[in-house]
Amino acid sequence: MIKREKILHLKSSRGRKVRVVREHYLRERVPCYSSLCLAGCDNDGKVLPGDLTHYVVPDVGVVVDYQEILEFRELQGIIYTQTACQGVYHCKGRRQYNRLRNLLKDPRHDCVLFANEFQEFSFCQRENGESQEQWQTRCVYSAAVWYYNHLAGMMDVVMITEDQDIIARYSSLHTGVYVISVQEYLQNFWSELRAAHELYSSICQALQQKESECTEKEFTDHLPAEILEAGIKSGRYIQGTLNVNKHRAQTEASVRTEGLSDKNTELSSEVLVYGNKHRNRAVHGDVVAVELLPKSEWRGKVSTLTEGQPEEKNGDDTQSQPMPTGCVVGILQRNWRDYVVTFPPRESTQSQSRNSQRILTVPWDHRIPKIRISTQQADALQDHRVVVRIDSWESTSLYPNGHSVRVLGRAGELETEVQTILIENCIHVPPFSDAQLREMPANSPEKPWKVDPSQVAVRQDLRDSHLVFSIDPAGCEDVDDTLSVRSLAGGMVLELGVHIADVTHFVSQGSLTDLEAHARATTYYLADRRYDMLPAILSADICSLLGGLDRYAMSVLWELDAQTLAVNNVWYGRTVIRSSYQLDYELAQALLNGEQGEVAELTRLSSREKDAKLAELRQALQVLTHVARHLRAQRDQGGALELEGVEVRAQLDNEKNITALVPRQPLEIHETVAECMIFANHWVARKIHEAFPHQALLRHHPPPRQEFFSQLVDSAKSRGFTIDTRSNKALADSLDQAVDPQDPLLNRLLRMMATQAMSQAMYFSTGAISQDQYYHYGLALDRYTHFTSPIRRYADVVVHRLLTAAIDLESGRSPAKALASNKELEELAHHINKKNRAAQQVQKVSTELFQCLYFKERDPDKDQCCVADAVVYAIRDNGVLAFVPLYGMKGPVYLKNRDGQVLSAGQDGGCEWQSGSVHRYSDRITTTSLIGITTFTLFSHITVRISIQSSRCHADSVNLELVSNRPHQSVTLGQAQSHGRSQLVQEVVRIAEEASQQARGKATRQPKLSREEQEFCQSKSPNLYLLLEEIRELSLMDLECTTPALRQSCILNA
């Protein structure tokens, strides 16, 4: 080991230059991570294969500018030097550096990190007068030479660079070490990798465009990082995440602040940033530093309706009042991602420097500014959706500069729109790779999967001792939870059992399948498909607890006092089970009610045996329901909130494809299953927290901010109801009392407002927050986690591993693998929370897409399906927000147009545009014209006409036009609820199938786009159980609520 001194020139917090001398140790033995190594390097982890033709060593410039190309999985044998990684950190920042680190950790990518600056024979001392770029190049080339010599010439090494001077200087210095450009490398070794060539061309054009920028400043320069840090500490600047208002993206954005009330009592929870100049090149999602403007320049948010559907979190009365307003003075972290854009029409591009092909593209997301890219394919890409990335946004440019990544397809086609939704929410779900599928156990008619006798020996075998059964929607294939109940000790004790699919037995920690599940974090559900977290061989076969088959499970067994149902003892462990019955909800409810039902597993038994088995099953269902009622009553006493959703059932064709989803009546058995799952989640949370107080993954639901309840409180007050929001129990009790017998929709809309005011339930590591913050507000439980759905949620997989470790610890055994630290677990929780939000948004937007497809095919002036009853649930300056219960959609209804005319109702209720004025009050809005005064109050029923507002560059949106100020009388509310929802979904499925066939047909005729258009296809036949669960969640978000019995999906996913 050789000791050297490393001299660094740094800046102090006051901006002064400081000379720092640090010790730097060089070692002879540094891991090379090559399978060809003959020197006995300590190569733990990933190693480069030895069957390649060469290894690749990119220089600093290539890693900084062309990293996206190096991320192609086809490129193998890539060696990243420590010098190049540090160059990325200094040039691109921590976010890009972390992305590179994650790439190096990912075993799916064939690349390694070489610590060249600590290797004695590859280290290069910086010479006097040598620039940093020259020294970095010499370091990387020295590392390439070291690799060739270290491997005794068995592997050629190719160094790639974009500097022609470097190529001329180093290309002929050493035999076996070649120095070429990125373009030459792609042409010589990857000539068929078309996507990489296109990406290279796009990046080159973007870099050339950046060099040709003008020098006249359009924005003020951002302050240096050290000044921002000092200003935030002193309270002069405010740190937060920029949130652009999607309905007023050009003018209105806000920065949500945290914990500032102690420093400045005048600050609310957010600061308004008005106008693009004050936004100062910050993009939606960036972490920024904001400086407050003088009070004389403070503004209020605009409370008039704009195109699209608003989302409220707080009351409107305060929004028009002046609020803290500021300007962005610096960006602490860029959160740029992939953006989907559309090229403008030909006529609008004529003025955009057509010769140089520099085009201002329009992002699909309204909140993102136009992005300037350079391309030679502007004409060919008209009417196409294209994925682009932002490279820079200089102070001399009105718009950010970027480059195209790939073409998705023609705008308006179903596959293109679905891919757009996925990309805009940062969801990447390619088909599972062959390497991942090779990790899966085999199960075929020739070689059926069987339980391993060695596993049976270490598990508790419940196959003969317990009556285990599942209750799911009809047609369910991936059964991840089963139940059991039996009497012990002569009837004095009841044993309740919840048995969950043992996914972690098949998905080893750190395996390729585990890494993919970690990346996805959840199963994604769209209106016409799903994207699985795990391969189908696990989710729908070997892990699924299907009836009559031996399966591995993770079980929780409670011994309850038969009289009081108090918990006497709890057992956790791995088991082997065989589900005796695979029941659907309707059959289970019929048996519970004492009605006749056809149980498939009993059809071949004699009448006597069948009656005995049915009696046993009925008894188990009755006991289970009795226990569930007790559990719910206990949570109700603690203040559990009632969350409602729509219960739907699927109509299937002969191939078990979904042809329609229709509402059905809620059953008590839904709540029975839900309560048992909640009970299991709660007790597992207690177990893992007690075993690992500082590194357990739990889920909490923070109490909502009181100001978010303002709309709920004021709206209820307008109808004579008082809503108490001081606690969850007070809120639940007051919502139960806010019932209008003449209008059942009133209570549902109030619950909708309460739901919108809620904060999101989040995963967290127990070492990250204090225990008083563990509480789950919605479920009224002190500790809670997710344990019961490991097939579709990665959080449950983590909890299963923690539970296994806790059981091992209790038995005196050491955990098989080291547990994640509190920091690692908190990072994982943050990742899962982010992906869960994306999954919810994707589902919501895809449903809106199909709603638009449904109405786009209809003439709103002639088709009666386009006329429906709506309920006013919010008042705005120029109109109202209305909820259409028939189709479960919301939207603005304008009472004043851009010409200044207002809608007034005649004696028959029909509305027409007249000259007049609008007057807004807290609970109503009136229009005054020559016809007279028309009043619209909160919760009043109106008739609207539904049409679609098409957009070339953005998603289509629903438009609600007022037809009458009276309720729509064509059908009763109950009929509308059933008929309208069923008809919409049936039609949407039909349209989706036709659009898919058309897309495939066009892809056949246009082979150049077929790969991009079909890239994300996966799981065309969704599993029913999980799809229905997610649809109920989305229905809650869309306010389509029914009766109190239907809490299951909302609670299970709370």
Side-chain angles (χ1 to χ4, degrees):
M1 183 180 293
I2 301 175
K3 177 182 176 182
R4 289 178 176 266
E5 290 184 346
K6 192 172 185 179
I7 301 175
L8 303 176
H9 295 278
L10 306 176
K11 284 187 178 180
S12 68
S13 59
R14 296 183 179 180
R16 292 182 298 182
K17 292 184 178 181
V18 180
R19 185 174 183 268
V20 179
V21 180
R22 293 179 179 172
E23 294 179 349
H24 186 78
Y25 292 92
L26 300 179
R27 300 169 179 82
E28 181 180 350
R29 302 183 66 84
V30 171
C32 67
Y33 301 109
S34 172
S35 58
L36 296 177
C37 178
L38 302 176
C41 291
D42 187 14
N43 294 326
D44 292 333
K46 282 199 301 183
V47 294
L48 300 177
D51 57 353
L52 303 177
T53 59
H54 63 278
Y55 288 160
V56 185
V57 182
D59 78 346
V60 176
V62 171
V63 178
V64 169
D65 293 329
Y66 297 90
Q67 175 57 32
E68 297 168 56
I69 297 175
L70 300 177
E71 290 176 0
F72 279 86
R73 294 187 186 179
E74 290 84 352
L75 273 62
Q76 296 178 302
I78 302 176
I79 301 170
Y80 289 94
T81 60
Q82 178 187 356
T83 303
C85 291
Q86 290 175 348
V88 170
Y89 182 85
H90 292 296
C91 294
K92 291 289 189 177
R94 183 179 296 275
R95 191 165 186 261
Q96 192 71 15
Y97 174 72
N98 288 337
R99 176 177 173 176
L100 179 56
R101 287 183 58 194
N102 292 332
L103 182 78
L104 289 165
K105 294 177 183 178
D106 193 340
R108 296 170 295 182
H109 291 270
D110 194 17
C111 57
V112 296
L113 172 65
F114 174 52
N116 64 303
E117 294 187 21
F118 291 100
Q119 214 293 326
E120 179 180 350
F121 302 108
S122 68
F123 172 77
C124 295
Q125 184 73 40
R126 186 171 177 178
E127 299 174 354
N128 292 332
E130 187 178 32
S131 69
Q132 183 174 2
E133 291 75 14
Q134 292 173 336
W135 171 73
Q136 289 175 335
T137 299
R138 196 158 54 87
C139 288
V140 174
Y141 182 76
S142 176
V145 172
W146 180 89
Y147 254 96
Y148 181 80
N149 294 331
H150 180 75
L151 300 179
M154 292 186 291
M155 180 67 67
D156 289 340
V157 179
V158 177
M159 176 179 167
I160 54 177
T161 180
E162 281 297 276
D163 191 326
Q164 293 299 320
D165 292 337
I166 295 175
I167 296 175
R169 179 178 179 183
Y170 290 100
S171 58
S172 58
L173 287 184
H174 198 286
T175 304
V177 179
Y178 304 93
V179 183
I180 60 177
S181 68
V182 177
Q183 185 176 24
E184 288 177 311
Y185 176 72
L186 293 176
Q187 290 174 346
N188 293 332
F189 296 100
W190 300 102
S191 58
E192 297 181 358
L193 192 56
R194 179 183 169 189
H197 287 271
E198 293 175 350
L199 183 57
Y200 172 79
S201 176
S202 178
I203 294 174
C204 287
Q205 291 174 355
L207 293 174
Q208 293 171 3
Q209 175 181 305
K210 182 178 178 181
E211 294 175 357
S212 62
E213 289 288 343
C214 63
T215 57
E216 183 179 351
K217 289 187 179 297
E218 300 288 348
F219 298 95
T220 59
D221 290 330
H222 295 146
L223 297 178
E226 56 269 18
I227 295 179
L228 294 177
E229 183 179 355
I232 292 171
K233 288 182 179 179
S234 67
R236 178 178 179 180
Y237 305 136
I238 300 165
Q239 177 179 340
T241 301
L242 185 76
N243 180 32
V244 177
N245 187 326
K246 66 179 180 180
H247 306 294
R248 286 175 284 275
Q250 297 300 316
T251 58
E252 195 171 285
S254 60
V255 174
R256 182 161 296 280
T257 60
E258 298 292 341
L260 289 174
S261 57
D262 295 338
K263 296 180 181 178
N264 193 334
T265 57
E266 296 179 345
L267 288 183
S268 62
S269 60
E270 60 181 358
V271 174
L272 180 67
V273 179
Y274 188 83
N276 280 325
K277 289 294 183 181
H278 285 161
R279 208 177 296 174
N280 196 8
R281 295 172 285 149
V283 176
H284 174 76
D286 286 348
V287 180
V288 300
V290 174
E291 183 176 24
L292 288 179
L293 297 174
K295 281 189 177 182
S296 59
E297 298 182 33
W298 286 12
R299 306 175 62 103
K301 288 186 176 180
V302 179
S303 56
T304 55
L305 289 173
T306 55
E307 294 181 0
Q309 176 180 313
E311 298 177 359
E312 309 81 36
K313 264 293 184 180
N314 51 3
D316 302 308
D317 295 337
T318 59
Q319 290 188 358
S320 60
Q321 300 297 320
M323 60 184 295
T325 306
C327 62
V328 174
V329 295
I331 297 177
L332 303 172
Q333 180 178 320
R334 286 289 192 187
N335 282 320
W336 292 341
R337 55 174 174 82
D338 286 0
Y339 301 102
V340 178
V341 303
T342 307
F343 281 61
R346 287 179 174 85
E347 57 271 15
S348 64
T349 60
Q350 298 302 319
S351 61
Q352 293 189 29
S353 184
R354 202 64 176 164
N355 293 332
S356 63
Q357 297 292 297
R358 296 175 64 181
I359 306 298
L360 275 178
T361 58
V362 182
W364 186 85
D365 189 340
H366 290 273
R367 300 169 297 185
I368 306 303
K370 293 179 180 180
I371 302 173
R372 182 186 289 112
I373 67 170
S374 296
T375 179
Q376 302 298 322
Q377 300 178 329
D379 291 331
L381 295 178
Q382 290 292 325
D383 299 320
H384 283 75
R385 303 269 196 235
V386 180
V387 181
V388 304
R389 289 173 184 159
I390 296 178
D391 297 314
S392 63
W393 193 350
E394 303 300 329
S395 60
T396 56
S397 174
L398 283 173
Y399 301 100
N401 296 319
H403 65 272
S404 61
V405 178
R406 67 179 184 275
V407 179
L408 292 183
R410 190 172 297 276
E413 294 182 357
L414 180 61
E415 276 304 315
T416 302
E417 299 306 311
V418 169
Q419 291 180 37
T420 296
I421 293 171
L422 293 172
I423 292 171
E424 281 294 322
N425 288 276
C426 302
I427 294 175
H428 182 57
V429 279
F432 292 101
S433 67
D434 292 338
Q436 291 162 349
L437 296 178
R438 282 195 294 270
E439 296 179 343
M440 300 295 97
N443 189 24
S444 63
E446 299 79 20
K447 188 179 179 182
W449 180 86
K450 296 180 180 179
V451 296
D452 190 338
S454 63
Q455 282 293 318
V456 176
V458 297
R459 293 172 179 261
Q460 185 165 332
D461 193 343
L462 309 182
R463 290 176 289 182
D464 298 325
S465 58
H466 288 64
L467 176 64
V468 178
F469 53 90
S470 62
I471 307 175
D472 295 287
C476 180
E477 294 178 353
D478 59 339
V479 182
D480 53 8
D481 58 84
T482 55
L483 299 162
S484 68
V485 63
R486 63 174 182 165
S487 181
L488 302 175
M492 299 298 292
V493 175
L494 289 178
E495 185 192 70
L496 170 65
V498 172
H499 315 279
I500 307 301
D502 191 0
V503 171
T504 56
H505 173 77
F506 301 97
V507 181
S508 302
Q509 187 171 350
S511 65
L512 295 178
T513 306
D514 181 56
L515 290 169
E516 185 65 31
H518 173 280
R520 300 188 183 200
T522 184
T523 294
Y524 300 98
Y525 300 93
L526 280 71
D528 67 332
R529 69 193 72 185
R530 85 171 189 268
Y531 295 92
D532 301 311
M533 186 184 79
L534 295 173
I537 184 65
L538 293 182
S539 61
D541 192 0
I542 296 176
C543 284
S544 183
L545 307 180
L546 302 173
L549 299 176
D550 295 344
R551 291 291 185 259
Y552 297 144
M554 287 287 288
S555 300
V556 185
L557 300 172
W558 297 267
E559 290 184 5
L560 310 175
D561 186 281
Q563 299 299 320
T564 65
L565 298 182
V567 177
N568 296 332
N569 188 39
V570 188
W571 181 87
Y572 308 85
R574 281 183 148 147
T575 56
V576 181
I577 66 169
R578 182 188 299 126
S579 178
S580 300
Y581 304 103
Q582 193 170 342
L583 307 176
D584 59 65
Y585 283 120
E586 289 76 17
L587 176 58
Q589 187 65 50
L591 295 175
L592 183 63
N593 296 340
E595 302 168 3
Q596 292 298 318
E598 190 65 30
V599 181
E601 290 83 354
L602 303 180
T603 53
R604 297 184 180 180
L605 299 181
S606 65
S607 177
R608 183 177 179 180
E609 290 178 317
K610 183 177 180 180
D611 290 343
K613 293 286 188 181
L614 275 176
E616 180 186 32
L617 180 56
R618 279 198 179 96
Q619 175 66 18
L621 290 171
Q622 290 169 357
V623 173
L624 202 63
T625 301
H626 172 64
V627 173
R629 290 171 183 165
H630 172 76
L631 297 176
R632 175 66 200 191
Q634 282 187 319
R635 291 199 305 108
D636 284 340
Q637 292 176 2
L641 293 175
E642 184 175 288
L643 302 178
E644 299 174 343
V646 168
E647 177 69 3
V648 294
R649 65 181 175 85
Q651 291 181 352
L652 306 178
D653 58 20
N654 294 332
E655 297 180 356
K656 293 188 177 182
N657 294 319
I658 301 175
T659 59
L661 298 173
V662 295
R664 66 178 175 185
Q665 292 299 318
L667 307 172
E668 185 180 13
I669 200 68
H670 294 127
E671 187 170 342
T672 296
V673 175
E675 286 300 328
C676 292
M677 298 303 111
I678 293 170
F679 198 50
N681 288 333
H682 171 57
W683 277 88
V684 169
R686 292 177 56 171
K687 179 68 174 179
I688 62 177
H689 176 239
E690 291 167 359
F692 310 109
H694 303 295
Q695 52 195 121
L697 184 68
L698 299 188
R699 185 170 176 82
H700 71 149
H701 183 200
R705 301 167 66 106
Q706 287 299 309
E707 58 264 32
F708 289 168
F709 284 121
S710 58
Q711 182 191 2
L712 169 65
V713 173
D714 294 342
S715 299
K717 186 178 180 181
S718 70
R719 295 297 293 266
F721 298 109
T722 301
I723 302 296
D724 187 350
T725 62
R726 290 176 296 177
S727 68
N728 52 355
K729 181 168 177 56
L731 176 61
D733 292 342
S734 55
L735 285 173
D736 288 340
Q737 297 170 8
V739 176
D740 184 354
Q742 304 301 320
D743 187 3
L745 275 174
L746 172 65
N747 187 262
R748 293 168 53 194
L749 288 170
L750 291 176
R751 292 185 184 277
M752 166 198 68
M753 296 175 189
T755 302
Q756 287 184 333
M758 295 293 170
S759 54
Q760 279 195 326
M762 308 283 281
Y763 298 104
F764 68 97
S765 173
T766 49
I769 61 177
S770 59
Q771 190 164 346
D772 60 348
Q773 298 181 54
Y774 293 1
Y775 186 69
H776 197 293
Y777 181 86
L779 298 179
L781 293 172
D782 62 340
R783 281 165 291 185
Y784 191 70
T785 193
H786 273 163
F787 161 75
T788 54
S789 295
I791 289 176
R792 66 185 179 102
R793 293 187 303 229
Y794 191 73
D796 301 55
V797 174
V798 176
V799 169
H800 276 233
R801 289 174 179 151
L802 286 168
L803 180 59
T804 302
I807 295 169
D808 290 341
L809 195 64
E810 189 177 45
S811 303
R813 301 187 299 268
S814 299
K817 287 196 173 183
L819 297 176
S821 65
N822 171 57
K823 181 180 178 181
E824 293 170 335
L825 201 58
E826 187 62 19
E827 291 176 353
L828 174 61
H830 177 75
H831 167 73
I832 297 175
N833 290 331
K834 182 179 178 181
K835 289 296 184 181
N836 281 349
R837 287 192 295 270
Q840 292 175 359
Q841 183 67 12
V842 159
Q843 190 175 30
K844 176 177 179 290
V845 176
S846 70
T847 300
E848 292 171 353
L849 167 66
F850 276 75
Q851 286 176 335
C852 290
L853 286 174
Y854 175 76
F855 287 107
K856 204 170 186 178
E857 301 293 319
R858 288 169 158 69
D859 184 348
D861 295 322
K862 298 179 181 180
D863 198 324
Q864 287 302 310
C865 292
C866 297
V867 180
D869 185 74
V871 185
V872 176
Y873 72 90
I875 306 294
R876 291 292 185 269
D877 287 347
N878 60 337
V880 299
L881 298 179
F883 169 55
V884 184
L886 179 63
Y887 299 115
M889 60 177 57
K890 300 179 294 181
V893 178
Y894 295 91
L895 300 180
K896 184 177 182 179
N897 62 20
R898 294 178 179 177
D899 298 328
Q901 294 178 316
V902 300
L903 274 175
S904 295
Q907 293 183 353
D908 60 350
C911 296
E912 60 182 58
W913 293 103
Q914 297 281 337
S915 297
S917 59
V918 174
H919 301 280
R920 175 188 174 181
Y921 305 92
S922 61
D923 62 341
R924 67 191 186 280
I925 185 171
T926 62
T927 62
T928 304
S929 68
L930 294 176
I931 295 179
I933 299 176
T934 306
T935 302
F936 301 87
T937 61
L938 278 175
F939 306 113
S940 61
H941 288 251
I942 58 177
T943 300
V944 297
R945 179 178 289 111
I946 304 170
S947 60
I948 299 302
Q949 183 174 349
S950 297
S951 174
R952 183 178 178 277
C953 299
H954 310 288
D956 293 345
S957 59
V958 174
N959 181 55
L960 301 182
E961 178 187 356
L962 183 64
V963 176
S964 171
N965 67 340
R966 298 177 183 177
H968 187 51
Q969 299 295 339
S970 63
V971 291
T972 64
L973 179 62
Q975 291 172 336
Q977 183 75 18
S978 176
H979 173 71
R981 191 75 173 187
S982 171
Q983 184 181 11
L984 184 148
V985 177
Q986 288 177 359
E987 191 67 12
V988 163
V989 171
R990 181 189 66 78
I991 293 172
E993 292 174 349
E994 292 179 358
S996 179
Q997 293 172 0
Q998 292 174 2
R1000 286 195 292 269
K1002 290 182 179 180
T1004 303
R1005 296 191 297 272
Q1006 300 175 9
K1008 291 180 68 175
L1009 296 177
S1010 62
R1011 180 179 61 81
E1012 291 86 352
E1013 291 174 343
Q1014 301 299 326
E1015 182 178 352
F1016 290 96
C1017 290
Q1018 180 178 346
S1019 299
K1020 282 290 185 179
S1021 298
N1023 167 268
L1024 297 180
Y1025 176 75
L1026 299 182
L1027 178 60
L1028 298 181
E1029 292 289 313
E1030 296 298 331
I1031 287 176
R1032 283 194 288 271
E1033 281 189 12
L1034 186 62
S1035 299
L1036 174 64
M1037 295 165 58
D1038 281 347
L1039 323 179
E1040 184 69 20
C1041 306
T1042 54
T1043 61
L1046 236 273
R1047 306 184 185 98
Q1048 179 184 11
S1049 66
C1050 302
I1051 294 174
L1052 286 179
N1053 292 278

